[in-house]
Amino acid sequence: MTLTIEKIQAMPKVELHLHLDGSVLPQTLLELAAEQGAKLPAASAEELSRYMSAPESCQDLNEYLRTFDFVLPFLQTTSALERVAYELVEQCAADQVAYVEVRFAPQLHRLQGLTVLEIYEAVLRGLARGEQQFGVIARCIGICLRGHSEEQNLEVIEASGHVLHKGLVAVDLAGAEALYPPELYESVFALAQKLSLPITIHAGEAAGADSIATAVNRLGATRIGHGVRLKEDLHILQQVKEQGIPLEFCPISNLQTKAVAAWSLYPIIEYMEQGITVTVNTDNLTVSQTSLSKELYTLQQQCGLTTEGMIQLQRNAAAAIFLEEPAKSRFAARFEEKLEQWIRHLQQDA
């Protein structure tokens, strides 16, 4: 059965890999710039979106990441951070996302003197307001950055420890993956493990499968951001499969950054058939001009993803959330009920 985008939109979904600063609404940026007395190179949201979105085909991950530099100067106050976090939950609700983990790097928002903890608190307020308003369970993941000093990243980990179970559920390592291998950050994530912070690491995107092995075996990752290049090493693939480590695929982004060269080579069906735990996510709503429904619809059109496959991907994601117990089990039960209800409606319409 081929599903319309509308039927996919009606499906309850889980989003595990979503960047805050890559998902700011163009209209919001216009208003923030006006409030802050700053000039923008465009006067309308439609024009502005061209500056906030990456090309359909980037030269590499580094070109994709440069898009963020345009937005970040406007996200340096607690009010701006709280607002964009709230609006991101609203965007998720509009796409029937039942649970979202929003990730961001607090150290990028300190240009006007905010502390890491103040930044966390602002984002968490926005997510909590969004959760209350729209009924989407919203949590955050704090990002350490490749290319930043050990001191800066350790500060993020320490602050993360203060807000663990208060809205934050995990920490991450992101940035220019091919330039800064994960082993450079072993001491940073040793502290994360000491503080019992769950860990996901961007790996196997711009760098090869060996970066996944390092993330898991030396940094303590229990989930992998992207991971599309896993099949380059069958030994590592087998380890990830046996340990049930979920991969956070972001298909449209993966094609943009050339982590995968063409849709015909996108390994999602191959990995699922091998029993690897795959999830599908958006990465950045604005930078990639996407939604979770668009990702799933595109996979259906380009890779032959079936309705059964879409359902399995949602179950995989629901099982992979970093939400602490017993809240995780309660969510999983409610989510399965919603999913079964959607399946019944689908069968009635057939």
Side-chain angles (χ1 to χ4, degrees):
M1 182 194 304
T2 300
L3 298 184
T4 62
I5 188 75
E6 291 78 16
K7 285 183 177 176
I8 295 172
Q9 282 170 336
M11 180 188 204
K13 294 177 282 290
V14 171
E15 169 79 81
L16 301 179
H17 192 121
L18 177 58
H19 290 264
L20 178 68
D21 47 352
S23 304
V24 177
L25 293 165
Q27 182 60 39
T28 297
L29 198 68
L30 279 174
E31 293 170 16
L32 289 175
E35 287 170 18
Q36 297 169 20
K39 287 188 176 180
L40 288 170
S44 71
E46 187 179 353
E47 289 176 278
L48 196 58
S49 68
R50 294 204 300 269
Y51 293 88
M52 299 170 69
S53 306
E56 195 171 307
S57 179
C58 300
Q59 187 176 340
D60 55 20
L61 175 62
N62 296 332
E63 183 184 353
Y64 182 88
L65 293 175
R66 282 195 287 274
T67 315
F68 294 84
D69 297 337
F70 182 78
V71 174
L72 280 169
F74 304 96
L75 302 180
Q76 302 298 326
T77 66
T78 55
S79 60
L81 288 164
E82 182 175 340
R83 176 178 176 174
V84 296
Y86 170 83
E87 289 179 348
L88 187 47
V89 182
E90 184 177 18
Q91 290 183 75
C92 289
D95 198 35
Q96 297 301 314
V97 173
Y99 175 96
V100 60
E101 290 173 2
V102 175
R103 61 187 73 195
F104 74 106
Q107 61 270 51
L108 294 177
H109 304 279
R110 303 191 64 187
L111 298 180
Q112 292 183 23
L114 293 176
T115 67
V116 173
L117 205 51
E118 286 171 335
I119 291 160
Y120 266 140
E121 287 168 350
V123 170
L124 292 172
R125 279 196 304 274
L127 295 179
R129 277 206 302 123
E131 180 171 330
Q132 187 175 22
Q133 179 75 30
F134 305 110
V136 178
I137 297 177
R139 297 294 182 268
C140 97
I141 295 175
I143 298 176
C144 295
L145 284 173
R146 293 175 160 96
H148 281 221
S149 71
E150 182 176 37
E151 182 184 9
Q152 288 173 306
N153 284 326
L154 285 172
E155 192 173 358
V156 170
I157 296 295
E158 287 164 4
S160 300
H162 289 294
V163 289
L164 180 64
H165 306 316
K166 297 175 183 176
L168 180 133
V169 290
V171 289
D172 182 16
L173 175 66
E177 193 181 310
L179 300 177
Y180 301 97
E183 54 266 28
L184 296 175
Y185 304 93
E186 205 164 345
S187 60
V188 171
F189 285 88
L191 178 60
Q193 292 180 68
K194 185 179 177 183
L195 294 174
S196 300
L197 289 161
I199 296 166
T200 178
I201 301 284
H202 280 67
E205 181 189 16
D210 56 330
S211 68
I212 298 172
T214 304
V216 171
N217 297 327
R218 293 171 63 177
L219 271 62
T222 56
R223 273 184 8 207
I224 293 294
H226 301 292
V228 288
R229 294 177 61 180
L230 176 65
K231 66 179 181 179
E232 292 176 9
D233 189 309
L234 296 180
H235 176 73
I236 297 165
L237 184 148
Q238 192 61 28
Q239 181 191 353
V240 166
K241 176 183 172 180
E242 288 175 1
Q243 293 184 12
I245 295 167
L247 304 180
E248 304 160 357
F249 273 22
C250 303
I252 289 171
S253 166
N254 294 156
L255 268 290
Q256 282 179 293
T257 64
K258 293 190 167 56
V260 179
W263 283 113
S264 59
L265 301 173
Y266 202 70
I268 187 163
I269 306 299
E270 178 185 347
Y271 285 11
M272 290 174 75
E273 287 176 348
Q274 290 181 59
I276 295 164
T277 304
V278 180
T279 68
V280 166
N281 310 277
T282 59
D283 209 6
N284 302 282
L285 300 184
T286 302
V287 174
S288 288
Q289 292 288 292
T290 192
S291 67
L292 201 43
S293 294
K294 182 179 176 180
E295 299 284 343
L296 294 166
Y297 182 77
T298 303
L299 288 171
Q300 176 186 249
Q301 301 302 107
Q302 297 286 350
C303 302
L305 180 67
T306 63
T307 304
E308 292 73 21
M310 286 186 207
I311 294 165
Q312 186 58 53
L313 287 166
Q314 297 318 306
R315 287 177 171 148
N316 289 351
I321 65 175
F322 280 131
L323 194 64
E324 64 277 2
E325 293 291 1
K328 180 175 180 176
S329 295
R330 286 199 302 268
F331 168 76
R334 287 199 307 271
F335 183 74
E336 184 61 31
E337 283 177 17
K338 289 181 181 178
L339 202 53
E340 291 289 348
Q341 187 177 33
W342 177 81
I343 293 167
R344 285 195 298 273
H345 285 156
L346 210 57
Q347 290 167 343
Q348 288 166 7
D349 292 342

